[in-house]
Amino acid sequence: SSDVCSSDLERHGFIPEMVFADTASGGGDYTSRRGQMELLEYADKNPHKVFVAAVDDISRIARDVQAHFQFRMLLKERNIEVVSPNFDFQDTPEGELVEILMAAVSQYHRKGNARQVVQKQAARLMLKLWPFPAPRPFKMEKHPDYGNILVAQYPDTEYAKQALEGF
């Protein structure tokens, strides 16, 4: 969170100037992450300033090894140091090794999570249960045996229900 990052910056003796929120999830390079693009643009518009970027977790840089180091290189080109309350970025061979491993672990978790989501969605479909967000005019309702199930939100949705069940 930005509060944790701001506190970490202050602990390192820096004064927070801007917050670039990163709400993206999953893979993708920095161009798909609005907060990272805004950070780079802000740094480019202020080349006379020295910046430090704080991330609450190393996985916020990227959840893909290649994208992680691509973005880190862009930060280095702009002399932007990276700090985190949960990871000590070190410009040493050992620090680089640990960063590579952490980026690889983040990528592994992202891909493993994606596989698990697909498996769970397929399992729900095999049980003839809807695994996706509810389309209009339906809603998801908690069922004691099946988790969330799709139910009609209005009494006059019988035609839509027949269409979905017939599909």
Side-chain angles (χ1 to χ4, degrees), residues 135-155:
R136 290 187 181 150
F138 297 91
K139 66 180 178 178
M140 299 304 274
E141 206 169 82
K142 199 74 164 167
H143 185 279
D145 297 324
Y146 300 110
N148 288 329
I149 60 169
L150 191 64
V151 296
Q153 192 168 4
Y154 308 106

Side-chain angles (χ1 to χ4, degrees), residues 121-136:
Q121 287 175 334
R124 284 185 60 83
L125 285 169
M126 285 183 199
L127 292 171
K128 298 184 180 195
L129 297 171
W130 189 255
F132 310 109
R136 290 187 181 150

Side-chain angles (χ1 to χ4, degrees), residues 66-132:
Q66 184 177 351
H68 176 95
F69 287 101
Q70 180 184 20
F71 187 66
R72 287 281 280 134
M73 189 57 88
L74 292 169
L75 294 175
K76 283 184 182 182
E77 288 171 2
R78 290 162 175 81
N79 294 315
I80 299 174
E81 182 184 345
V82 181
V83 297
S84 173
N86 300 316
F87 184 77
D88 186 18
F89 291 91
Q90 295 179 5
D91 207 9
T92 65
E94 296 81 9
E96 187 177 298
L97 173 64
V98 173
E99 186 174 351
I100 290 168
L101 292 172
M102 294 298 290
V105 167
S106 292
Q107 178 174 299
Y108 167 76
H109 283 294
R110 176 183 56 85
K111 288 183 174 184
N113 185 55
R115 179 182 57 212
Q116 190 176 36
V117 166
V118 169
Q119 289 170 342
K120 287 181 178 183
Q121 287 175 334
R124 284 185 60 83
L125 285 169
M126 285 183 199
L127 292 171
K128 298 184 180 195
L129 297 171
W130 189 255
F132 310 109

